[in-house]
Amino acid sequence: MVPLLLVAVVGCGLGPDASEGVVPFEPAPARLHRLTDAQLRNAYVSLTGVAWTGALPDDYVLYGYAAVGSAEATLSPVELEEVEAAAWGVAQAAIPDAATATAFMGCSPGQRVDPITTSLETDPCLRGFVAGLGRRAWRRPLAGSEVDELAELWRSVAGSLSSDPTMPTQAVLALLLQSPDFLYRVELGEDDPDAPGRRRLDGFELASRLAFLLTDGPPDDGLLLAAEDGSLLEDAVLRHHAERLLATDAAREALSRFFDETLNLAELDLVQKDAETFPEWTPTLKEAMREEIHLIVEQLVLDEDQPLDALFTTNLAYVNDELGAIYGLTMTGSELQPVVLPERAARGGILGRAAFLTIESNATFNSPTHRGKYVRSRLLCQDIPAPPPGIPTLDAQGSEGTLRQRLEQHMEDPSCNGCHRLMDPIGFGFEHFNPVGRWVDRDSGYPIDATGELDGQKFDGAVELGEAIAGHEALPGCVARNFYRHAVGALEGESEEGAIEALTEEFLEGDLRLRSLILGLVLSEGFWTIDSPADGACEVEGEARPCATDCGSGVEFCRGGVWTGCNAPAPAAEVCDGADQDCDGTADEEVLRACEGPGGPGVQECLSAQWQVCR
Amino acid sequence: MKPLSRRAMLRGLLGGGAVGVGLPLLELMLSPNGEAHADGSELPTRFGVWFWGNGVKTDRWIPLTTGSNWVPNENMAGIADLVPYLSVISGCEIKTATHPHHSGMTGMLTGAPYYQVGTTRDTIISTFAYPSVDQDAASWFAGATPFRSVEIGITRFRGTDEGTTFEHLSHNGPNLPNPSEYDPGALYRRLFGVSSDARVDLVRQSVLDVVGDQVGRLQKRLGATDRQRLEQHLDSIRQLEQRLGSELGACEVPATEPTAFADVNGQEQIEPQNDVMSELCALALACDLTRAFSVQWSTAGSGVIVWQVGATDGAHSNSHFEASPQPVVNASVTFTMNQLGTFLRRLRDTPEGGGNLLDRCSILCTTELTDGLSHANTDFPIMIAGLGGGRLRGGYHYRSGSAENTSKAVLTALRGAGCDYGSYGHDGGYVTDVIGSVLS
């Protein structure tokens, strides 16, 4: 962790390198994704109508997104207890008594069957209930053995306690909600018939990935049916469901959350401001700052479908009395109202709103470095590499002048300015806004200089900076990259750069509208393919899977934990016979042999199965 | 009179119901000299970690004298009464230091380098490569108590993007953190909440049993990393199952559940939080609910604002910005040492057997670097609190003259609790020796 100003860096570069697509596409590794807090709560409601308000495991945010962290997160003992308590809490709230239990099951086990020939486990009422609820809870059909296991639980609880169906029914629901198939998105994939050796998500896995991405909730019946009959694997059907989901309220919330994460809004809960210097910093002001961003994003992006770069130039704000005071506006009441900021506000787009300015600053003074760093790394995807180890930090002695002037003194140090010249000049554009986002004319009594430069584009103040960001050529690709990373739930690998480029193209062709980004992504192979669980490693002895070489396809087997014995025809060295042994599309290329010619020993070449003149 | 065991007393009280209560040790349960259980088994010892972030100013922290009855320096003047229970180990060095904060955190708590997950901004993302030392103790004591370990957090600042190393103290392995509990009410409920219906607990166990089978089946179909994640999931299931199946549950504690402390005038209520959490921890130990615990008073690189001493910015920020001699940084360290004092006094003032809880603890008290400004990892500040049931002599300041491996101090703390591991750490942090002077 490095404070602003103070780390010497050697060789500051901007990455990542734009791949020219020479690395063939390979999808992200297959991983379990633990459902996020929002996804779990939505899933409880979706399945039972019960809104769980108790504790749940914290989301693990990695590379900016909980979706990425969810592929690493597990359940520690404390977290398991939270999940178990939630499962029982939901089950007890959903099924408080015998009457509800019977209604929940939709039938009474034991009725309408021959009690002599039908055991409780084979009771069609019980099995039907378990299979139906299980399919919705686990987002896929249950295997017979899984239905057996759940029916057996119902029976044993009913047998050991009483004939009252409340407890057994609660137990089945509580079990379903603690199962790994509920708590994680399981993505094992299936072989892609169109591309041997590649794996794609199966219909149910795709339905889950789509639903959780667009709504932070489980797939509904329509999606499950499309998964079941295989139609979801067709582009047109997938597109139809994506568009259908995008129109829901849940999608508004889920997409709003994506923007929250991209704008680091969660840091509002961690940032601390000195109470004496900023008495206006209250919990209600904080909430107003947060809610303002939601409302701006929802209006511009979700309702008005504006291009995403408009976020950086808009003069739309949402203010109440507290937040309005920060912006120099007199508002009444605590409800946030939309306003068009006057020109004198000089704030520019969303980065000129209090939330960003507050987050990216310190408790008592600004941080142009943090503000500039955010723009570089999160909006332009230009990362600044870690400093070499063992570099001592500099003593930040207070000196005369504005913060900018003091920072500029440090930037004269060649061991610091390599990276700081990439960040600070951007942050200076926001210097008129203090650590709670209020306009100030002066800093320590000196006039503020808010001029700067962004990769050749000069600006003065937040409005022009917003325009420079909106027009920056790296912005579309970076937005696409962020969304790709969030949607796939993994840090993008080098082999996915081509997919991200293609997505950026679609995004540009769609005039930077969110829809084009979402639909472009959902229909791209980056979204519905996965790598094998482990390269080369396999689990089930004797299991077979398709394999391929340049010369054709075949089958390989799992032996001793590794995939071996691919029986596809193997490429061989070319022979002068007119056939394409190495399967590269041409026959007899570069086949040479020694010969004895009229002028002595030489070499002859093969062409179309004929040996040529000996040279 | 026939001596009682804790469980026997319970069964008698509740007429054989399936609900259990873990009780503080009563005199009746002790051997006549009060130094063992009446049935001859030893009284338990506990291992703990008490951690604060951002280091110290060594010229005001390191004790003024070495050897027995060390004289506190400025930072610890307020806890002079605890010197008999405290040993200081100074002059040691983290041998695996490569990156500020990250190396010190993992170097102390795992005796090893960190595991780098990636990079962010101008720094790295890391996690622990191995289980943390509190889990080493938890493994040693496994099965003896309803809770394998308890993790407590005091100040709420948490890093956001440098990986689990900056967010959590206790880990079971890479990216397998045991999050600390920051809400006193939630901690109270977890430790002392009793289920109202024993039948429900039986069904809960059955359900957990089936879930465990399901997780096991899924595990077989996954790659190595996911298998490890699910192994942790299984472990967590087993721990809860074990607790449900044991007859120890709630403890006889004050009936009122504590509530979380909201900020007052934007200021974090650190002292009341520390008071309550210290009390809950003491109760958990006294009731033998766990023998391995950790208190993360502040995280590595913490941004906690110690407003009580006039700080207006986070501790990490101050450590880099405040002009020499850094009076606010120093005052914050003194404040933190006093917070440690509050915690230790709570243990000292809890009677147990013929003595007190602190007599039977060995608590590693440390931070993730020596000095926040310089990011140094030499002359590392380390203490061991408690007498470890007689294994620790207390009141001794050992100062290494040869920059010994800090892992020796950690291994010493483990041994002090009776966790007789032969070694601690890995790679450059691996040791088999201890600091003999602080052991009895």
Side-chain angles (χ1 to χ4, degrees):
Chain A
M1 181 190 234
V2 182
L4 86 162
L5 308 181
L6 300 180
V7 178
V9 181
V10 172
C12 194
L14 298 179
D17 285 327
S19 161
E20 305 200 338
V22 289
V23 179
F25 171 76
E26 282 208 19
R31 293 289 270 270
L32 292 181
H33 288 265
R34 200 190 74 186
L35 262 52
T36 62
D37 180 294
Q39 290 169 353
L40 283 171
R41 293 183 202 277
N42 286 339
Y44 297 139
V45 172
S46 180
L47 195 63
T48 66
V50 174
W52 176 248
T53 54
L56 283 175
D58 284 346
D59 290 337
Y60 177 30
V61 176
L62 191 58
Y63 297 111
Y65 297 104
V68 178
S70 74
E72 309 286 336
T74 180
L75 288 170
S76 67
V78 168
E79 293 169 320
L80 180 91
E81 289 173 31
E82 290 173 338
V83 155
E84 198 246 1
W88 279 99
V90 169
Q92 287 164 345
I95 306 162
D97 52 39
T100 327
T102 309
F104 197 81
M105 290 184 73
C107 55
S108 294
Q111 287 189 343
R112 295 201 235 114
V113 291
D114 180 338
I116 295 174
T117 56
T118 313
S119 69
L120 204 48
E121 281 115 333
T122 56
D123 186 316
C125 165
L126 180 57
R127 291 187 74 81
F129 160 65
V130 160
L133 186 64
R135 180 171 173 277
R136 289 173 52 226
W138 293 356
R139 309 177 286 267
R140 62 164 174 82
L142 268 55
S145 58
E146 293 172 322
V147 176
D148 289 343
E149 195 173 50
L150 288 155
E152 158 69 23
L153 177 76
W154 201 101
R155 183 200 62 76
S156 76
V157 174
S160 65
L161 292 180
S162 72
S163 57
D164 180 336
T166 312
M167 272 290 262
T169 314
Q170 286 177 350
V172 165
L173 179 53
L175 172 57
L176 288 172
L177 296 178
Q178 289 174 64
S179 303
D181 294 84
F182 171 76
L183 294 170
Y184 303 98
R185 274 193 295 118
V186 180
E187 294 179 344
L188 296 170
E190 61 186 11
D191 299 307
D192 189 344
D194 299 330
R198 186 170 77 172
R199 285 182 92 70
R200 59 165 304 145
L201 299 178
D202 72 27
F204 291 99
E205 294 167 342
L206 183 57
S208 275
R209 192 182 263 210
L210 183 71
F212 280 115
L213 171 65
L214 296 185
T215 67
D216 270 334
D220 58 15
D221 288 335
L223 259 178
L224 288 176
L225 284 170
E228 202 139 43
D229 66 22
S231 61
L232 191 62
L233 301 176
E234 295 161 32
D235 274 1
V237 176
L238 182 57
R239 187 191 185 92
H240 159 76
H241 284 283
E243 288 178 333
R244 179 172 71 79
L245 292 181
L246 279 177
T248 61
D249 282 338
R252 286 174 72 84
E253 281 185 38
L255 292 171
S256 189
R257 231 170 262 125
F258 166 71
F259 283 95
D260 281 3
E261 287 191 292
T262 309
L263 292 165
N264 283 344
L265 276 196
E267 291 208 25
L268 274 174
D269 293 317
L270 297 173
V271 74
Q272 290 182 295
K273 303 292 170 184
D274 176 53
E276 274 180 43
T277 320
F278 300 113
E280 63 266 55
W281 174 246
T282 62
T284 46
L285 175 64
K286 180 180 78 170
E287 287 316 309
M289 289 185 181
R290 196 200 316 265
E291 189 59 17
E292 177 189 25
I293 302 300
H294 288 159
L295 292 168
I296 293 175
V297 167
E298 281 177 27
Q299 179 175 329
L300 289 190
V301 177
L302 302 178
D303 291 336
E304 296 175 7
D305 198 22
Q306 289 202 30
L308 285 189
D309 56 356
L311 283 171
F312 303 104
T313 54
T314 182
N315 51 18
L316 174 68
Y318 272 83
V319 287
N320 62 2
D321 46 9
E322 271 191 288
L323 189 51
I326 299 284
Y327 295 168
L329 303 170
T330 310
M331 306 289 298
T332 47
S334 58
E335 279 269 316
L336 289 165
Q337 309 287 340
V339 298
V340 171
L341 290 175
E343 248 191 75
R344 62 176 167 79
R347 287 182 175 267
I350 208 161
L351 298 184
R353 301 295 175 274
F356 169 74
L357 299 163
T358 299
I359 288 165
E360 305 291 351
S361 57
N362 297 304
T364 51
F365 59 97
N366 277 352
S367 179
T369 309
H370 281 137
R371 291 171 177 176
K373 184 84 63 71
Y374 173 83
V375 172
R376 274 283 171 220
S377 62
R378 217 61 200 278
L379 297 181
L380 305 177
C381 291
Q382 295 165 344
D383 262 332
I384 295 158
I391 302 285
T393 58
L394 301 176
D395 215 346
Q397 296 294 348
S399 46
E400 284 289 298
T402 61
L403 176 62
R404 178 193 184 119
Q405 287 163 334
R406 283 178 268 142
L407 281 172
E408 278 175 334
Q409 285 173 25
H410 284 103
M411 282 220 293
E412 278 156 27
D413 185 331
S415 55
C416 302
N417 66 10
C419 281
H420 278 276
R421 66 177 171 76
L422 295 168
M423 305 181 281
D424 299 3
I426 300 174
F428 292 146
F430 297 112
E431 263 308 89
H432 272 295
F433 301 104
N434 74 5
V436 291
R438 190 190 292 273
W439 173 278
V440 293
D441 289 313
R442 291 176 172 270
D443 173 12
S444 310
Y446 298 89
I448 286 175
D449 173 7
T451 59
E453 189 218 309
L454 175 57
D455 295 342
Q457 179 74 37
K458 291 198 194 309
F459 57 82
D460 182 351
V463 173
E464 290 182 6
L465 173 52
E467 286 163 4
I469 293 169
H472 198 290
E473 62 172 5
L475 181 70
C478 186
V479 173
R481 178 178 300 275
N482 274 304
F483 191 71
Y484 183 94
R485 183 186 294 179
H486 164 72
V488 170
L491 182 68
E492 60 281 8
E494 215 193 298
S495 62
E496 295 169 275
E497 289 297 325
I500 294 171
E501 266 182 55
L503 181 61
T504 307
E505 282 305 312
E506 295 234 21
F507 189 33
L508 285 163
E509 273 165 39
D511 294 325
L512 300 187
R513 291 187 157 73
L514 184 63
R515 263 179 91 76
S516 62
L517 180 61
I518 294 174
L519 293 173
L521 173 85
V522 159
L523 293 165
S524 75
E525 64 179 345
F527 188 67
W528 42 261
T529 52
I530 49 169
D531 213 341
S532 306
D535 243 329
C538 58
E539 295 303 328
V540 183
E541 186 73 0
E543 190 183 46
R545 71 173 183 183
C547 58
T549 63
D550 286 339
C551 291
S553 50
V555 181
E556 61 185 353
F557 299 90
C558 180
R559 301 246 180 270
V562 277
W563 291 108
T564 52
C566 180
N567 61 8
E574 283 291 326
V575 172
C576 191
D577 64 354
D580 179 14
Q581 275 82 14
D582 64 5
C583 309
D584 68 347
T586 49
D588 302 343
E589 76 281 17
E590 292 179 303
V591 183
L592 306 168
R593 70 175 180 184
C595 52
E596 195 73 34
V603 174
Q604 66 186 157
E605 204 183 319
C606 175
L607 188 63
S608 304
Q610 300 293 322
W611 288 110
Q612 305 303 297
V613 166
C614 185
R615 299 178 196 285
Chain B
M1 189 142 186
K2 189 179 163 190
L4 293 176
S5 70
R6 296 182 218 227
R7 294 182 189 200
M9 170 138 195
L10 165 68
R11 275 192 221 113
L13 283 176
L14 296 180
V19 175
V21 170
L23 298 174
L25 212 46
L26 299 186
E27 276 182 37
L28 218 48
M29 299 177 186
L30 296 172
S31 62
N33 64 4
E35 286 168 20
H37 281 130
D39 63 2
S41 64
E42 227 197 285
L43 294 178
T45 47
R46 297 86 166 181
F47 177 84
V49 177
W50 201 96
F51 180 91
W52 75 96
N54 293 303
V56 301
K57 309 305 295 178
T58 47
D59 60 332
R60 280 154 278 177
W61 189 89
I62 297 183
L64 299 174
T65 60
T66 56
S68 301
N69 297 315
W70 50 273
V71 176
N73 204 330
E74 184 188 323
N75 293 143
M76 292 199 269
I79 61 174
D81 59 313
L82 290 164
V83 166
Y85 289 95
L86 268 174
S87 285
V88 179
I89 300 168
S90 67
C92 294
E93 165 177 273
I94 300 274
K95 300 296 188 184
T96 52
T98 54
H99 198 92
H101 298 274
H102 293 262
S103 290
M105 188 70 177
T106 57
M108 282 308 294
L109 295 174
T110 62
Y114 50 77
Y115 174 75
Q116 184 169 337
V117 174
T119 59
T120 183
R121 297 182 283 117
D122 58 354
T123 179
I124 62 169
I125 301 172
S126 84
T127 186
F128 287 23
Y130 301 97
S132 52
V133 62
D134 61 301
Q135 293 306 311
D136 291 337
S139 295
W140 188 271
F141 297 133
T145 55
F147 291 88
R148 183 182 150 85
S149 66
V150 171
E151 291 75 44
I152 297 171
I154 308 295
T155 64
R156 65 169 182 266
F157 178 93
R158 289 218 316 234
T160 53
D161 64 349
E162 290 183 67
T164 64
T165 304
F166 270 69
E167 296 185 61
H168 304 289
L169 190 161
S170 181
H171 285 66
N172 297 322
N175 280 327
L176 299 174
N178 289 314
S180 300
E181 181 57 71
Y182 291 85
D183 181 339
L187 180 62
Y188 177 96
R189 284 191 301 275
R190 181 170 185 238
L191 292 175
F192 307 118
V194 186
S195 131
S196 55
D197 190 335
R199 302 178 312 157
V200 173
D201 277 359
L202 286 172
V203 180
R204 286 171 69 194
Q205 269 193 286
S206 303
V207 168
L208 285 167
D209 211 36
V210 178
V211 176
D213 287 345
Q214 292 170 340
V215 174
R217 289 198 299 268
L218 177 60
Q219 227 187 356
K220 294 193 174 65
R221 306 175 65 197
L222 303 172
T225 316
D226 278 346
R227 281 205 305 276
Q228 193 195 28
R229 291 166 71 201
L230 289 190
E231 195 57 37
Q232 175 60 54
H233 188 161
L234 277 175
D235 214 63
S236 301
I237 289 173
R238 283 180 208 124
Q239 284 189 44
L240 181 55
E241 273 187 301
Q242 189 201 6
R243 194 156 91 247
L244 287 173
S246 74
E247 289 182 4
L248 296 172
C251 189
E252 187 140 9
V253 293
T256 337
E257 181 181 303
T259 49
F261 298 96
D263 288 358
V264 175
N265 295 326
Q267 296 174 327
E268 192 179 357
Q269 299 303 292
I270 301 174
E271 285 160 294
Q273 165 89 341
N274 188 51
D275 286 344
V276 167
M277 290 304 219
S278 299
E279 186 187 331
L280 291 174
C281 187
L283 279 167
L285 297 179
C287 298
D288 210 23
L289 296 180
T290 188
R291 298 180 191 172
F293 69 93
S294 58
V295 177
Q296 187 167 233
W297 188 87
S298 61
T299 60
S302 172
V304 60
I305 297 185
V306 187
W307 54 268
Q308 295 87 344
V309 304
T312 53
D313 213 334
H316 178 252
S317 193
N318 283 338
S319 69
H320 288 291
F321 286 114
E322 194 185 13
S324 190
Q326 302 204 311
V328 169
V329 171
N330 181 59
S332 303
V333 173
T334 301
F335 179 86
T336 308
M337 292 300 101
N338 287 333
Q339 291 272 284
L340 171 61
T342 300
F343 173 75
L344 293 176
R345 283 190 202 99
R346 176 62 73 168
L347 300 185
R348 184 197 62 189
D349 298 342
T350 304
E352 181 173 69
N356 63 64
L357 257 190
L358 191 53
D359 289 336
R360 311 205 57 83
C361 286
S362 175
I363 306 169
L364 175 70
C365 308
T366 190
T367 175
E368 89 280 13
L369 31 69
T370 303
D371 184 304
L373 174 61
S374 67
H375 286 157
N377 289 289
T378 53
D379 201 4
F380 215 89
I382 306 171
M383 291 190 283
I384 303 179
L387 301 180
R391 296 178 182 82
L392 295 163
R393 65 193 280 189
Y396 195 89
H397 173 203
Y398 174 83
R399 183 154 183 74
S400 173
S402 54
E404 290 164 81
N405 198 322
T406 49
S407 292
K408 285 191 190 175
V410 182
L411 184 56
T412 309
L414 280 168
R415 295 270 182 83
C419 304
D420 294 327
Y421 286 106
S423 70
Y424 176 70
H426 306 264
D427 306 326
Y430 177 85
V431 299
T432 52
D433 292 333
V434 292
I435 309 288
S437 318
V438 307
L439 293 167
S440 302

